[in-house]
Amino acid sequence: MQSKVEQSKPPLGGGAGVIDVEQAEAALVEHYPRLVRLAYLVLPPGLGRNRRVLSAHSVTQRALPRGRTATAPPALPAQRGSAPRTGDPGYAYVRLRVLRSALEAGRPLRRAAWPRRSQLPPLLPQVWGLRLFPKSGGADELALDQRLSALSGPARAAYVLRGLEHLDGSAVRTVLTAAGCSDEEAAAALAEADAAGPADALLQSPEFDPCSLHARPTDLMRRRQHAKAALAAVAALLVCGALLGLPGEGWSPDGAAAPLYAQNPAGRAALDPASLTRVAPAAWQSSARTDFSVWPARGSRTRDTALLRRALAVWARPGESVQVSATPGTPAGAPPGPAQLLYAGELDQARIVLFYDGLRIVRYAEPQHGTSGAALDFARVDGASAPQSGAVVLDRSDGNVRYLTAPWVTRAAVRDLLRPSVAAQPLARSKDGVTAPFPSPALAPAGRPCTGWNALALTDAAKTRYATDLGELVPAHLTAGAPDAPHEAGPADWAATACSLAAARSHGVRSVNAWAYARQELPEENGTARWVCTRAETWRGGGPRTLALFLPPGASAAVLAAKAQGAPACGARVPPVLAGVRWKSRGGNWYLIAGGSKEVGSVSAAGTTEAGNVLAVRVARGAAVTLKGVDADGVEVSPLR
């Protein structure tokens, strides 16, 4: 809950004259939460949330005048919607100092000049052993954060001054100019902020409140190992009196990697770019295997030793600023030995490297300029066959996804699964097999109606296979048919059920099968309905997600009847499935409609038993009903739940 101080709007202008330090301190203390929020929103997102929080408090606490007095900033006219105290020069002064420091933090370091204090990690405040970050918001806050991340520093400042401080365009330009921006930069920042759209209320969200924080521990095992390494180093210095130098070329070649805490021959070999495995371009043509192990090394940076060294070092020792993600069940540890290089190149203003170690695909990405904001992603791919190793995600940006396709893929296309009658759209690829960007269903905002679902169609010498992006490095392979004998999905197999794939996002999914297991004549001559179950199998083997879907006649999308996680039903080992749903006829009567697979011999509910695998019984709306089935051997078949 926001404090009363934060909820009240601070003054927006200042008068000409002299500011004494007591006046500035009073304004800073009174409006500290709002000033820290302003700094947090303007600071570059690439710093990471923990450092952003600490830097926001640091630049705010350093906003007082260095001497006893200071010159007041230019006066601003009263703004519509501002607080009553529009003439407080103390607040205007400290706000300008906070804004100037936050903008300086986002400027690149120059070799010919000393860095500004705000461009360095904060000395105070410091928090040891904890990571701090604001409370998580909803989808709207996440969307706003992504929009702010795409803006330049001055544009973020313009956006926040207008949305949080309620300044008009002229006042924003005056403040930006006073904060060190040129007239051209201020005008460009206003135009860029205009294009981002309004979000005044969201700027007050706890998502952007660095005074209301969550705390989590840092890497406890690494901290313990660091302590042991430090003790060993001190003991060695006392005994030998020798300076322990860092191995190799020191810190800089490792980019965003954390300090070394162990050295051994196997570990050094795994971090040596010269030891990487590079498969010959034509090796897949004569290999008995068709998986990631026969992918050649591709991209324009495969010989960039410095980039590969940084990627391997961050893989082994990701620093606190590195954004690390892993699919469920995927270990995120260091490479066990020299890995295989799949790709190294530049794409969408980033340098990207892909590795394969026999168990995982590892993706390292860093900005084209510098290493701040590096990302490290892990995905488990052990036992991948040709259908599951046809493509890997290289990049996601602006709602689009780009893939690196397998060397045996001869053609790539995009097909909307909800429109099987519309021909697939050819997808351009570079000579390295990198596809053109296209909209990804995994990046669609939560809550938006499902009006389309794109799948990647990959054609090789044998057949065309479909896969779809579920938010992970490897797209999920789509199949159809009975669980014990699935086949490659066709254009119409997922037409009514594609939107249900959203339930399997970010779950470590290997493949998803759709099985139309029953057809049922509805009562009162309401037509024929279909029953479909979908089952998402995972790379880790456990935790499959199963959905039973009911498709009434004439409907374009299926209705969710039941769902389960970890249930054996609708799987290769236990195919039988049974589910029920309440349905209202065109005559206004309510029924319990139940459908089972062919293994179900009879279905019972509400005191009625019918032979076969379907049942329709009239029930009162909201009445509690127990559903069960029995197979041909008399073994009970429980409904999916």
Side-chain angles (χ1 to χ4, degrees):
M1 180 179 295
Q2 294 177 324
S3 65
K4 293 182 179 178
V5 172
E6 187 176 353
Q7 289 176 339
S8 62
K9 303 290 185 184
L12 298 172
V18 175
I19 304 294
D20 59 52
V21 68
E22 289 83 7
Q23 186 179 4
E25 182 183 20
L28 189 149
V29 171
E30 180 182 1
H31 303 292
Y32 185 85
R34 175 169 287 272
L35 291 167
V36 177
R37 183 189 291 264
L38 186 146
Y40 180 85
L41 287 165
V42 177
L43 283 167
L47 295 178
R49 292 195 295 175
N50 182 71
R51 181 172 167 184
R52 245 172 108 192
V53 166
L54 297 179
S55 296
H57 285 274
S58 177
V59 300
T60 304
Q61 293 171 13
R62 290 188 287 106
L64 293 177
R66 294 185 178 180
R68 295 294 304 172
T69 61
T71 303
L76 301 177
Q79 304 292 314
R80 180 180 299 175
S82 62
R85 293 182 59 206
T86 57
D88 184 356
Y91 177 77
Y93 175 81
V94 293
R95 180 182 65 189
L96 182 61
R97 292 263 296 177
V98 167
L99 188 64
R100 182 182 292 125
S101 297
L103 288 173
E104 287 175 351
R107 296 192 176 103
L109 296 174
R110 298 180 179 178
R111 294 184 179 180
W114 289 100
R116 298 283 186 149
R117 180 67 194 87
S118 55
Q119 293 176 294
L120 301 174
L123 293 176
L124 290 174
Q126 283 288 345
V127 178
W128 297 91
L130 289 175
R131 294 174 185 260
L132 302 177
F133 53 92
K135 298 178 180 179
S136 298
D140 293 336
E141 286 83 353
L142 177 60
L144 176 59
D145 191 42
Q146 291 174 342
R147 294 204 306 272
L148 291 175
S149 299
L151 298 179
S152 63
R156 279 195 304 274
Y159 192 97
V160 174
L161 285 172
R162 191 164 51 192
L164 192 64
E165 298 289 289
H166 300 288
L167 301 185
D168 60 23
S170 175
V172 170
R173 185 179 290 106
T174 300
V175 175
L176 289 179
T177 304
C181 296
S182 65
D183 292 339
E184 293 78 9
E185 287 177 330
L190 277 169
E192 192 176 350
D194 286 336
D200 297 6
L202 291 177
L203 292 175
Q204 298 284 355
S205 168
E207 172 84 8
F208 310 111
D209 182 10
C211 292
S212 180
L213 302 171
H214 285 300
R216 294 292 185 272
T218 55
D219 191 328
L220 301 179
M221 291 301 299
R222 179 181 296 164
R223 198 163 68 193
R224 180 182 298 176
Q225 290 165 333
H226 285 179
K228 291 180 180 178
L231 289 174
V234 170
L237 284 172
L238 293 176
V239 173
C240 304
L243 179 63
L244 294 179
L246 291 170
E249 300 179 14
W251 295 111
S252 56
D254 291 349
L260 292 168
Y261 57 82
Q263 284 291 323
N264 59 71
R268 285 195 296 268
L271 301 182
D272 183 5
S275 300
L276 288 171
T277 299
R278 291 177 169 86
V279 176
W284 64 273
Q285 298 177 2
S286 57
S287 174
R289 302 180 62 174
T290 310
D291 56 18
F292 294 111
S293 66
V294 294
W295 277 36
R298 290 173 285 178
S300 60
R301 294 294 194 103
T302 55
R303 297 298 173 182
D304 188 338
T305 303
L307 171 62
L308 299 178
R309 187 183 302 279
R310 287 196 303 274
L312 290 169
V314 173
W315 180 1
R317 307 181 311 280
E320 292 187 356
S321 65
V322 179
Q323 302 176 24
V324 181
S325 69
T327 58
T330 303
Q340 177 183 342
L341 178 63
L342 302 184
Y343 179 86
E346 295 186 356
L347 197 67
D348 296 336
Q349 304 300 314
R351 293 186 286 260
I352 298 173
V353 184
L354 286 180
F355 299 110
Y356 172 63
D357 67 357
L359 173 68
R360 303 164 295 178
I361 293 289
V362 181
R363 176 184 177 272
Y364 170 79
E366 66 180 24
Q368 272 191 343
H369 306 290
T371 60
S372 178
L376 189 66
D377 304 312
F378 296 87
R380 184 171 174 175
V381 293
D382 50 315
S385 59
Q388 290 102 36
S389 54
V392 174
V393 171
L394 273 184
D395 180 56
R396 292 187 184 93
S397 61
D398 300 326
N400 295 323
V401 63
R402 302 182 74 168
Y403 290 96
L404 177 67
T405 56
W408 54 82
V409 171
T410 58
R411 188 170 66 90
V414 181
R415 180 180 287 277
D416 186 350
L417 296 178
L418 298 187
R419 297 171 178 82
S421 60
V422 178
Q425 299 297 312
L427 192 60
R429 294 187 299 156
S430 69
K431 61 181 179 62
D432 289 327
V434 178
T435 69
F438 66 92
S440 166
L443 300 180
R448 174 180 294 181
C450 179
T451 58
W453 195 281
N454 284 338
L456 178 67
L458 300 176
T459 303
D460 55 27
K463 58 184 68 177
T464 297
R465 299 182 172 95
Y466 290 94
T468 190
D469 184 14
L470 294 182
E472 295 161 341
L473 283 180
V474 181
H477 177 217
L478 299 180
T479 60
D484 52 354
H487 56 79
E488 295 295 335
D493 288 325
W494 283 88
T497 56
C499 292
S500 68
L501 290 166
R505 285 176 181 163
S506 303
H507 190 57
V509 174
R510 178 190 190 114
S511 63
V512 191
N513 184 63
W515 177 29
Y517 66 85
R519 297 177 67 88
Q520 182 174 9
E521 294 295 330
L522 296 177
E524 302 182 16
E525 299 182 351
N526 274 231
T528 304
R530 287 187 295 149
W531 288 93
V532 180
C533 75
T534 65
R535 183 179 174 90
E537 300 288 356
T538 65
W539 287 100
R540 62 190 182 276
R545 290 189 175 178
T546 305
L547 305 180
L549 305 167
F550 176 70
L551 185 62
S556 59
V559 177
L560 178 64
K563 61 181 178 180
Q565 179 155 332
C570 196
R573 294 189 177 183
V574 185
V577 60
L578 174 64
V581 67
R582 296 180 188 275
W583 170 80
K584 185 179 181 181
S585 71
R586 289 193 293 264
N589 299 314
W590 284 94
Y591 289 85
L592 173 67
I593 305 297
S597 56
K598 63 181 181 180
E599 295 85 359
V600 178
S602 65
V603 184
S604 301
T608 301
T609 300
E610 288 191 11
N613 61 337
V614 295
L615 169 70
V617 57
R618 190 167 174 177
V619 296
R621 183 179 183 181
V625 181
T626 299
L627 175 67
K628 68 177 182 178
V630 177
D631 65 12
D633 297 326
V635 178
E636 182 175 340
V637 178
S638 299
L640 190 69
R641 61 168 59 91

